[in-house]
Amino acid sequence: MSEAHYNHRFIEHKWQQNWRENQLYKVENNSSKPAYYVLDMFPYPSGAGLHVGHPLGYIASDIIARQRRQRGFNVLHPMGYDAFGLPAEQYAIQTGQHPAKTTEENIQRYRKQLDRIGFSFDWSREVRTCDEDYYKWTQWIFKQLFSHWYNNTSNRAEHIDNLVAIFENEGNVNVNHAGGEIEKFTAEKWLNYNANEKEDVLQNYRLAFIQETTVNWCEELGTVLANEEVKDGLSERGGYPVIKKPMKQWFLRITAYAQRLLDGLDTIDWTDSLKEIQRNWIGRSEGASVHFQIDGHDKALEIFTTRPDTIFGATFMVIAPEHEWADELLTDSQRDEATEYINWAKNRSERERMSEVKSVTGAFTGSYCTHPFTGKQIPIWVADYVLGGYGTGAIMAVPAHDSRDHAFAKKFGLDIIQVIENDEANVQEASFDTKVGKCINSGFLDGLDVVDAISKSIAIIDQKGIGKGTINYKLRDAGFGRQRYWGEPIPVVFNEGIPSLLSDAELPLTLPEVTSYEPSGTGESPLAAIDEWVDTPQGRRETDTMPGWAGSSWYFLRYMDSENEQAIASRDAIKYWGQVDLYMGGSEHATGHLLYSRFWTKFLHDINILPFEEPFKKLVNQGMIQGIVESIYLKKEKDGDKAVFVSADKVENEDDYTQIPVHVDFVSDYKKTDAPSYLNSDGIKQFIDWRPEYFKATFICSNGTIEDRIFEGEGEARFITKSEIGKMSKSKFNVVNPDDICEEYGADTLRLYEMFLGPLEDAKPWSTSGIDGVSRFLKKTWKLFVDQDGNYLPTDDEADKKSLKTLHATIKKVTEDINRISLNTCVSTFMIAVNEFTEQKCRNKSVLEQFLIVLSPFAPHITEELWERGGHTTSIVDANWPKFDEKHLVEDTKNYPISINGKTRLNMELSLSLDKQAVEEAVLANADVQQWLDGKTPKKVIVVPGRIVNLVV
RNA sequence: GCGGGUGUGGUGAAAUUGGUAGACACGCUAGACUUAGGAUCUAGUGCUUAAUCGCGUGAAGGUUCGAGUCCUUUCACCCGCACCA
């Protein structure tokens, strides 16, 4: 005897077990079916576990994966873990536990939570970036990067051996590579270099290379950070201060791919905002580089400008404090003052610098350049509004037409020369920043429009041999070394300072055991302390490890053939699955993971591993599910030795209080919109138990006072809390665990409910109000199939017309909505269908089962159960997606809305076979219409057949 | 400052091509059944009104027979970037 009532615990457990035992979601690479690849961003398994926000995207992608399978595709829908990274290591430092151990525990927990939601992941393909079998290939890709250079002429990466061959034949005079400028040498000179010198040269070409640069150093974390790991001068993880520090570092030459990364955006289906963020980050700008001869030196200062048309307005030059000639250009009279300024500017933290954006600072170097066209002397200044890392770290200042230059000129009393015509503004007072107008005071450019002047000035600069048209990118090469333990070891040894790669046979280079995970503080990783690991017959090992994004830049390829020991994946597997058809994930990875993955994909394409250049054909950003942060006000001033908390309605000036986060479980009326949330006596008791340091605190409630834990006042204590929408996080004590929802309502309800919340892309605060509606819907669905005694209801009697209409309207709408990933409206459609079937007392098995199939991607457990009860022996997962048939929706009549002057006044049931004329006549003959017309004749009658009638009076 | 996005009932939202604004839910109100209800069912629910009328998609204009949807101006909020020459 089957269960009579919908018992989600029993059903979900039963089917999850069944699916696992039958390996229902395992997919093969050999299939005659078309391939479809649906990917989720794999999670970092943190100690906090999954909260209800994580599955949002997974549920959406799972629905699409399941539906594609029912539509006849072979669907790859894998999952894995981004398992190297700082949090596990920080935890290891605190507790002494091996990060591998805590990571494993966290993964187990994640897996359990994921399994409970009923995803159709093929777990046989699971990847973990910290597995040796996996990072072997991350190291292998690194080796390829080290062994290749970027040829700007062929516009692709080429093997370094080819470059060496060119050097041996003709030196580097004809080589056009991506990277900084390199002194020219002949073949003869090259052949005479010793090994060390040769490698120093090659480092300028390799796509993975070592360079001494200023890096983002975070003292607290004891490591360098990538640009995108720094937010507002603080580390993204932990929020610790970050300073600039010179250091030798591994870099990847992503800048070689800047233009292709930009162009590729036009070929992929991502949101405009995401593409815009990447365009911004790459930051292409066209302009010119110009050399200004420095007086008394035999060198010229190279600057970059997007406005070479304003060159006649350049009245001074500015170099960044980090500029390599900053010291050299100082004259004796200016040396002390300028050095002091340079030191001050260099030592300021990012954070200080950014908070003082508006202040103008700088110093005169004492040196001058000669203007190439006017021959005038122009002073060279040093100022930190010019950034060392952008362009050439030096600019020509045109104060008349650039507000920053203007502010600087005003402060230091420098000349301002107007070179773009303008009648109204006075450039002595304010700069006139414009890209339209005619040039004046500009010699050979006079009278030209800005656009023409730019091209002409570049032509002349080029002709004079002092510069050329250039394109500049904001994008920087990506720092690739981390002075950390918990990451992929870099497969390099140094012999006499010359880096060389391990052989493929030596991979994976595994992490050794260490006794302490503490950063060494010298800037070296804990690995440096293990002599027996570091010292090898071939030389000293690199002790830096790779950053978190190394493993995640290619993981989507490994899923295609996760066990392969010969390659990252077989050629056949890569060819069969191809690009990721749909990638679901958060937009916070816009300038990190998503850019690096595109970079590695293009590189792997260049070296003939991949037949495609873009990894993710279509990308959808699921919105963040936020939590509500509850906190209470603590007076900054204590009352004697007692802490004083004050109810939010009695707080006048927030500055007098500290806000203490409160566990949301203690709060009453949590998340109600119509009433403020508060702590009652019980909630306050829970709070004190939780934070015993406030055992003796006083609570000033809105209706009385609690002292020494005794409430004096009217009725029940009411202590109002402050509620804000914010991140769902462990530190805010507001995490909602999906397990709890699965336990109470079931995974199918959770899945439907998360989709029902609203459009997938929108951010929304989590709230369970409304979940009952979804739960009721599933119970109603159940009742269509099973009566109170557990009998199976559907029969093979002929379906009635109304039910067929409901069914096909549902098939049509859901099929269309899944295609445009509008999953919230699908849930509404299901509800409407079930309401109608219930109303119709529909018992037709064929109709109801087709409905089940359409519902099954959203609610796989209940539909599988009801499918089985209908006598099926194979899973609903392999049922065919039903075909929509228009004929069931054809209507004979239409209930026309009749509007008068655009306002709907009444409805009329009319045959759809009537033509415009006939409809008009019928409408005008109607008594109610005549009453509305009040004897007047309509000026115009608009009839839109099948839609509407509008009478204009 | 630049770029992207969003504004619709008490709440989450729908309206895909300009064609009955508020589907579907939550909540609320009333009723039925019940020892009970945080179960189930029935009816109602944009505002206003006794009911009609009237008014309603952030605001103001415009195009149109007809505008949440198109155009112009404007306001608010969110996200990203930010001394990028």
Side-chain angles (χ1 to χ4, degrees):
Chain A
M1 176 72 206
S2 309
E3 294 245 6
H5 294 285
Y6 171 47
N7 179 343
H8 64 81
R9 285 188 198 95
F10 174 77
I11 291 170
E12 291 178 359
H13 182 259
K14 165 181 164 185
W15 287 108
Q16 282 165 13
Q17 195 175 340
N18 176 295
W19 296 337
R20 188 162 45 239
E21 283 164 6
N22 292 310
Q23 299 195 314
L24 190 64
Y25 301 118
K26 192 165 161 45
V27 291
E28 300 298 334
N29 287 353
N30 300 313
S31 169
S32 54
K33 291 180 186 175
Y36 194 82
Y37 189 175
V38 185
L39 181 67
D40 295 291
M41 285 187 185
F42 64 168
Y44 177 84
S46 79
L50 288 174
H51 63 66
V52 288
H54 291 109
L56 183 71
Y58 304 159
I59 293 168
S61 61
D62 194 56
I63 287 166
I64 289 157
R66 285 171 178 275
Q67 194 237 10
R68 284 277 169 172
R69 178 164 175 177
Q70 290 171 323
R71 282 175 55 194
F73 289 85
N74 189 32
V75 179
L76 178 56
H77 187 219
M79 183 49 86
Y81 304 97
D82 185 16
F84 271 134
L86 280 181
E89 187 161 359
Q90 288 294 89
Y91 192 72
I93 291 168
Q94 285 160 23
T95 65
Q97 291 190 71
H98 198 290
K101 180 167 172 278
T102 52
T103 300
E104 174 67 33
E105 286 164 7
N106 292 343
I107 286 176
Q108 294 299 331
R109 173 143 183 241
Y110 267 59
R111 177 65 190 272
K112 252 191 172 150
Q113 289 182 296
L114 289 169
D115 280 350
R116 237 185 139 169
I117 303 171
F119 293 119
S120 62
F121 296 129
D122 177 359
W123 284 106
S124 72
R125 294 166 184 262
E126 177 192 310
V127 301
R128 299 178 182 185
T129 54
C130 65
D131 272 358
E132 292 170 18
D133 293 342
Y134 180 86
Y135 71 68
K136 170 181 174 181
W137 296 105
T138 311
Q139 291 171 336
W140 182 85
I141 295 171
F142 173 86
K143 283 186 58 181
Q144 307 311 311
L145 286 160
F146 183 86
S147 311
H148 285 79
W149 64 291
Y150 199 89
N151 185 342
N152 278 341
T153 306
S154 62
N155 205 21
R156 52 182 288 251
E158 293 181 11
H159 202 276
I160 206 89
D161 292 348
N162 300 345
L163 184 68
V164 171
I166 296 170
F167 289 170
E168 287 168 355
N169 271 319
E170 54 174 51
N172 72 344
V173 280
N174 293 318
V175 172
N176 180 9
H177 76 292
E181 284 205 20
I182 298 160
E183 222 170 286
K184 296 292 175 194
F185 54 79
T186 59
E188 197 187 359
K189 206 168 170 193
W190 168 259
L191 291 167
N192 285 326
Y193 283 153
N194 65 30
N196 224 322
E197 289 166 332
K198 280 183 178 164
E199 183 53 36
D200 280 350
V201 170
L202 289 176
Q203 283 289 319
N204 293 299
Y205 293 85
R206 298 186 187 278
L207 292 177
F209 61 101
I210 299 171
Q211 198 179 38
E212 163 123 10
T213 44
T214 38
V215 295
N216 302 304
W217 172 258
C218 180
E219 188 63 43
E220 294 288 330
L221 296 173
T223 186
V224 299
L225 298 173
N227 289 337
E228 71 282 352
E229 289 171 323
V230 182
K231 292 263 137 74
D232 299 326
L234 298 174
S235 65
E236 197 179 26
R237 286 207 192 274
Y240 303 114
V242 174
I243 58 163
K244 294 280 183 195
K245 187 175 170 180
M247 235 185 178
K248 274 207 162 182
Q249 281 299 308
W250 282 99
F251 282 87
L252 298 190
R253 209 179 296 281
I254 189 174
T255 50
Y257 286 86
Q259 189 60 48
R260 282 168 68 188
L261 287 168
L262 199 56
D263 294 341
L265 290 172
D266 296 331
T267 69
I268 49 183
D269 184 7
W270 295 14
T271 60
D272 289 339
S273 86
L274 202 60
K275 288 187 189 181
E276 225 21 66
I277 290 171
Q278 289 208 345
R279 282 197 191 100
N280 237 308
W281 190 260
I282 295 167
R284 178 191 155 106
S285 57
E286 289 179 42
S289 74
V290 188
H291 291 85
F292 283 70
Q293 195 60 44
I294 302 167
D295 297 357
H297 287 72
D298 59 351
K299 6 173 141 180
L301 184 64
E302 186 186 5
I303 59 102
F304 174 72
T305 177
T306 54
R307 296 296 304 277
D309 57 308
T310 61
I311 193 164
F312 286 88
T315 53
F316 57 100
M317 314 295 287
V318 187
I319 61 173
E322 304 91 341
H323 197 279
E324 55 171 334
W325 299 346
D327 190 58
E328 216 175 312
L329 290 176
L330 302 184
T331 58
D332 291 344
S333 61
Q334 287 300 115
R335 182 166 300 277
D336 290 351
E337 185 193 332
T339 304
E340 192 187 337
Y341 174 74
I342 290 168
N343 287 337
W344 172 81
K346 274 190 182 167
N347 289 329
R348 271 197 315 166
S349 70
E350 272 299 276
R351 192 166 179 75
E352 281 169 338
R353 210 177 63 78
M354 293 177 82
S355 61
E356 294 165 17
V357 160
K358 298 243 152 50
S359 68
V360 179
T361 59
F364 180 41
T365 61
S367 296
Y368 291 84
C369 307
T370 304
H371 193 287
F373 297 118
T374 65
K376 275 195 208 159
Q377 271 207 326
I378 37 185
I380 304 171
W381 286 68
V382 53
D384 71 350
Y385 83 91
V386 172
L387 306 175
Y390 184 74
T392 60
I395 61 155
M396 64 174 199
V398 183
H401 305 290
D402 182 293
S403 49
R404 296 155 305 179
D405 297 343
H406 193 274
F408 195 82
K410 273 295 195 194
K411 168 134 186 187
F412 294 104
L414 298 155
D415 290 347
I416 299 169
I417 302 174
Q418 181 170 357
V419 289
I420 305 289
E421 193 173 48
N422 164 41
D423 296 336
E424 277 128 60
N426 175 3
V427 298
Q428 300 303 324
E429 293 304 316
S431 74
F432 177 56
D433 299 16
T434 178
K435 279 191 178 169
V436 284
K438 284 199 172 16
C439 294
I440 53 170
N441 303 327
S442 292
F444 56 83
L445 296 174
D446 277 350
L448 289 176
D449 279 326
V450 166
V451 184
D452 301 329
I454 289 176
S455 49
K456 179 155 186 194
S457 57
I458 291 176
I460 301 223
I461 285 164
D462 194 25
Q463 220 173 68
K464 264 196 108 174
I466 54 167
K468 58 177 196 293
T470 333
I471 292 156
N472 225 306
Y473 300 91
K474 274 199 278 185
L475 186 69
R476 300 284 69 139
D477 282 330
F480 198 67
R482 296 290 182 274
Q483 295 67 45
R484 283 297 184 148
Y485 173 73
W486 193 232
E488 300 88 344
I490 293 176
V492 164
V493 290
F494 293 90
N495 193 354
E496 314 261 317
I498 302 173
S500 64
L501 293 171
L502 300 191
S503 69
D504 284 355
E506 290 171 290
L507 300 187
L509 171 61
T510 58
L511 276 172
E513 295 296 321
V514 291
T515 45
S516 162
Y517 305 99
E518 206 73 44
S520 65
T522 61
E524 282 188 298
S525 92
L527 294 176
I530 313 168
D531 294 338
E532 62 275 22
W533 186 79
V534 170
D535 297 324
T536 77
Q538 302 145 286
R540 185 182 157 80
R541 280 197 203 287
E542 170 60 59
T543 58
D544 277 8
T545 54
M546 299 188 199
W549 53 267
S552 62
S553 293
W554 71 282
Y555 76 106
F556 48 93
L557 299 170
R558 189 63 179 168
Y559 286 135
M560 295 175 179
D561 193 10
S562 60
E563 315 255 286
N564 197 312
E565 291 175 9
Q566 314 306 320
I568 58 176
S570 75
R571 269 184 189 277
D572 287 346
I574 291 170
K575 192 171 165 224
Y576 177 66
W577 293 113
Q579 289 165 287
V580 174
D581 292 286
L582 177 66
Y583 195 21
M584 187 76 62
S587 56
E588 66 271 23
H589 298 105
T591 56
H593 162 61
L594 289 173
L595 198 61
Y596 295 129
S597 300
R598 294 184 59 221
F599 161 38
W600 283 32
T601 300
K602 286 180 191 303
F603 170 69
L604 292 171
H605 170 262
D606 284 356
I607 64 169
N608 298 318
I609 302 291
L610 301 180
F612 47 84
E613 272 208 57
E614 286 290 342
F616 316 122
K617 216 190 277 180
K618 181 179 172 69
L619 184 136
V620 174
N621 295 127
Q622 88 276 20
M624 207 201 327
I625 290 196
Q626 298 143 312
I628 292 179
V629 181
E630 294 283 351
S631 48
I632 57 178
Y633 290 99
L634 171 64
K635 260 196 176 163
K636 282 181 181 164
E637 252 170 64
K638 282 190 172 183
D639 174 20
D641 61 339
K642 282 186 181 174
V644 180
F645 289 97
V646 178
S647 178
D649 56 331
K650 302 215 159 170
V651 167
E652 277 169 10
N653 186 357
E654 285 209 347
D655 295 341
D656 298 338
Y657 299 87
T658 312
Q659 292 180 26
I660 308 281
V662 179
H663 201 295
V664 294
D665 289 353
F666 308 158
V667 178
S668 305
D669 283 351
Y670 177 51
K671 278 178 236 169
K672 277 208 179 164
T673 42
D674 46 346
S677 48
Y678 63 96
L679 296 175
N680 57 22
S681 302
D682 213 41
I684 291 173
K685 189 179 169 297
Q686 286 176 298
F687 174 74
I688 295 171
D689 290 345
W690 181 55
R691 302 286 298 266
E693 67 267 35
Y694 296 120
F695 183 70
K696 285 201 285 184
T698 301
F699 291 82
I700 301 180
C701 304
S702 59
N703 58 343
T705 305
I706 294 180
E707 275 200 76
D708 297 323
R709 297 187 298 140
I710 306 208
F711 177 63
E712 275 185 42
E714 254 175 68
E716 168 79 2
R718 250 180 105 81
F719 185 92
I720 314 282
T721 56
K722 179 174 183 175
S723 313
E724 291 170 292
I725 289 179
K727 242 188 177 166
M728 199 174 269
S729 100
K730 211 178 175 185
S731 64
K732 305 276 193 244
F733 312 105
N734 61 353
V735 171
V736 182
N737 187 331
D739 294 353
D740 298 340
I741 309 290
C742 287
E743 178 60 26
E744 190 176 351
Y745 293 97
D748 285 337
T749 299
L750 174 71
R751 292 169 62 107
L752 281 163
Y753 182 60
E754 291 218 5
M755 294 302 100
F756 191 57
L757 281 173
L760 188 63
E761 302 84 3
D762 293 1
K764 48 224 152 199
W766 174 259
S767 151
T768 47
S769 71
I771 198 167
D772 289 330
V774 172
S775 172
R776 261 173 229 149
F777 157 74
L778 285 179
K779 285 179 196 158
K780 280 192 227 167
T781 306
W782 182 265
K783 284 189 199 157
L784 286 171
F785 289 83
V786 181
D787 74 6
Q788 291 180 329
D789 303 316
N791 299 309
Y792 184 76
L793 291 170
T795 65
D796 290 324
D797 295 350
E798 203 177 324
D800 80 72
K801 255 182 119 176
K802 279 185 180 166
S803 297
L804 282 168
K805 188 181 165 192
T806 300
L807 173 68
H808 284 271
T810 305
I811 296 169
K812 179 171 195 267
K813 174 91 174 132
V814 173
T815 307
E816 284 170 2
D817 284 0
I818 291 179
N819 274 342
R820 58 191 183 104
I821 319 187
S822 168
L823 304 179
N824 52 330
T825 51
C826 289
V827 182
S828 300
T829 307
F830 295 138
M831 289 173 168
I832 292 168
V834 165
N835 289 346
E836 288 179 4
F837 287 142
T838 306
E839 176 97 346
Q840 293 155 8
K841 300 200 161 51
C842 178
R843 291 284 173 268
N844 181 272
K845 190 175 173 194
S846 155
V847 167
L848 291 175
E849 287 201 331
Q850 286 183 73
F851 173 73
L852 273 189
I853 298 169
V854 177
L855 175 61
S856 66
F858 291 75
H861 309 87
I862 187 175
T863 49
E864 189 83 286
E865 174 72 16
L866 293 173
W867 183 253
E868 186 196 45
R869 290 191 187 208
H872 296 274
T873 50
T874 55
S875 170
I876 196 167
V877 164
D878 288 314
N880 290 324
W881 188 257
K883 272 215 160 58
F884 162 64
D885 190 342
E886 183 77 46
K887 79 176 180 213
H888 299 293
L889 299 191
V890 175
E891 297 270 1
D892 306 331
T893 61
K894 158 82 187 173
N895 194 18
Y896 277 94
I898 313 297
S899 16
I900 291 160
N901 289 333
K903 292 231 173 292
T904 308
R905 295 304 183 179
L906 59 131
N907 287 293
M908 280 178 73
E909 190 83 22
L910 293 172
S911 167
L912 279 166
S913 60
L914 297 179
D915 64 9
K916 279 192 182 188
Q917 188 64 33
V919 170
E920 183 174 339
E921 280 165 18
V923 168
L924 288 174
N926 182 286
D928 289 334
V929 172
Q930 282 306 321
Q931 204 162 5
W932 275 104
L933 289 174
D934 197 22
K936 288 171 218 148
T937 314
K939 268 192 264 175
K940 201 171 174 184
V941 180
I942 291 112
V943 177
V944 185
R947 285 210 180 257
I948 199 168
V949 178
N950 190 13
L951 307 179
V952 187
V953 184

